[in-house]
Amino acid sequence: MLINKYLWIVDTLRRYGALTLAQINEKWQASNVSDGNPLPRRTFMTYRNSIEEMFNINIMCNRVTYEYYIEDIPGTHGVYLLDWMLDSMSLSTSLQGAKDVASRIMLENVPSAREHLSLLIDALKQNLAIKFSYKSYTRAGVSTGIVIEPYFVKIFKQVWYVIGYNVKDGKIKTYALDRMKKLTIVADHHFDLPPKFSAHEFFKDCYGITTNNNEPKLIKLRVSSVQAKYLRALPLHASQHETVYAGGTSVFSYRMRITYDLREKILSMGSNVEVMSPPELKTQIKDELRRTLEQYE
């Protein structure tokens, strides 16, 4: 696939910093994306232009050393996206020819990516609206003829979501791709993103995919020494700050909105976590635990 060749070039230049075309060619022929064939200069230039168009990554050439390198990628989110694509390529490459050990490789299922993600990304690239039917888990029937202007997509817990402006309701809403049916692009409905709109800013104060208009709160969680290791390895939020106390316990502080996803995450930690503040979050967790215990009485 061409996209694997594009990502190989990007990954190679990121790892080595700067390479001449001869050096790139040497590594290219030794890789599994080339089938042992050389990379002609004309083909490299075509791939270079495609990489810029597809990923907004500029491969520059030092006119003194004739070395190619990747121009700095603006924004933290752009770096995260590139890292995610390179990780995906690395996984794909590792799994090639792995049929003999297929029964020993366990993967997570992401069905929403197979059916709708490609079409949705086409709509994002062209700033075109999409139309679909939707089966919400909180409603009995199916909502039909929903039209939104898709602003961005996000993956959370193996589900892809699209966040966009619902034309009928006049609100920004979130939809899970795996609950969509009959998704189509509305070719005659072009839109422009609101000025200064940022996908990163939209979820900046939230954990997960749910959000609200409430003010962010200072949240403090006291966790066990074992749970602390998990939070250090995979922080809940960019605002995470840890204070270690005697006895092995740690207090993790955050600046976030109180949302459904955050409450679910805290509850999933069980007895390894205690909400210290704010009081309203502590009350919400206690009430949910009380209702859960009542189920077993």
Side-chain angles (χ1 to χ4, degrees):
M1 292 178 61
L2 277 177
I3 193 168
N4 286 340
K5 295 179 179 179
Y6 300 159
L7 290 174
W8 181 90
I9 291 172
V10 173
D11 183 42
T12 300
L13 289 176
R14 285 197 76 194
R15 285 189 290 116
Y16 290 95
L19 296 169
T20 64
L21 185 54
Q23 291 171 326
I24 294 173
N25 220 322
E26 180 182 353
K27 299 181 186 303
W28 170 269
Q29 289 181 268
S31 74
N32 59 3
V33 297
S34 69
D35 296 323
N37 297 317
L39 179 62
R41 178 179 179 81
R42 178 176 295 181
T43 302
F44 174 73
M45 292 304 172
T46 299
Y47 289 174
R48 178 186 178 188
N49 293 335
S50 297
I51 289 169
E52 180 178 352
E53 180 180 344
M54 184 174 294
F55 304 126
N56 198 27
I57 296 172
N58 296 321
I59 297 177
M60 311 301 290
C61 181
N62 186 321
R63 295 303 179 185
V64 176
T65 62
Y66 294 101
E67 292 177 320
Y68 291 92
Y69 63 94
I70 294 176
E71 186 178 49
D72 289 342
I73 302 171
T76 303
H77 191 70
V79 176
Y80 287 160
L81 178 59
L82 177 58
D83 287 342
W84 185 84
M85 290 190 295
L86 294 175
D87 287 344
S88 297
M89 184 195 73
S90 176
L91 175 61
S92 176
T93 301
S94 298
L95 294 179
Q96 287 179 10
K99 291 182 179 179
D100 53 334
V101 292
S103 63
R104 296 159 61 188
I105 301 174
M106 306 300 292
L107 301 174
E108 293 183 323
N109 190 26
V110 189
S112 54
R114 291 193 298 268
E115 189 173 358
H116 300 310
L117 186 60
S118 179
L119 186 65
L120 182 52
I121 289 177
D122 284 343
L124 290 176
K125 289 166 65 176
Q126 301 175 72
N127 275 2
L128 291 175
I130 57 173
K131 184 178 181 180
F132 55 92
S133 299
Y134 195 73
K135 181 64 176 73
S136 172
Y137 291 158
T138 58
R139 295 183 180 180
V142 176
S143 301
T144 60
I146 298 174
V147 176
I148 71 166
E149 297 173 350
Y151 287 177
F152 64 97
V153 293
K154 179 178 181 178
I155 190 170
F156 180 64
K157 292 184 176 179
Q158 293 78 60
V159 177
W160 279 99
Y161 295 85
V162 57
I163 294 84
Y165 179 78
N166 183 299
V167 175
K168 180 180 178 181
D169 295 345
K171 297 178 181 178
I172 296 178
K173 292 188 173 183
T174 301
Y175 298 91
L177 270 62
D178 61 346
R179 293 165 226 170
M180 290 180 171
K181 300 293 182 184
K182 302 178 181 179
L183 176 65
T184 58
I185 293 177
V186 185
D188 60 351
H189 186 143
H190 183 275
F191 69 93
D192 294 315
L193 284 173
K196 299 182 180 180
F197 180 84
S198 165
H200 175 73
E201 288 293 318
F202 189 83
F203 280 113
K204 182 185 69 173
D205 299 317
C206 301
Y207 168 81
I209 199 68
T210 56
T211 185
N212 53 49
N213 294 322
N214 298 331
E215 288 296 316
K217 300 282 187 176
L218 176 60
I219 296 169
K220 291 188 177 182
L221 306 177
R222 178 185 286 121
V223 303
S224 66
S225 58
V226 173
Q227 187 63 55
K229 295 177 182 178
Y230 286 99
L231 291 176
R232 292 181 197 124
L234 192 62
L236 281 186
H237 190 257
S239 64
Q240 178 171 297
H241 175 75
E242 179 185 3
T243 304
V244 181
Y245 291 91
T249 62
S250 294
V251 173
F252 286 85
S253 302
Y254 305 89
R255 193 76 183 176
M256 288 190 286
R257 292 190 175 102
I258 298 174
T259 64
Y260 171 84
D261 287 333
L262 177 60
R263 291 193 297 269
E264 289 292 294
K265 180 61 178 179
I266 292 172
L267 288 166
S268 74
M269 298 181 198
S271 60
N272 287 310
V273 63
E274 174 195 353
V275 177
M276 299 179 65
S277 66
E280 58 266 42
L281 177 58
K282 189 168 186 174
T283 298
Q284 291 171 17
I285 297 297
K286 288 172 63 177
D287 288 345
E288 185 62 35
L289 290 172
R290 188 178 297 111
R291 286 191 291 269
T292 302
L293 286 173
E294 289 173 355
Q295 307 258 45
Y296 295 92
E297 292 178 354

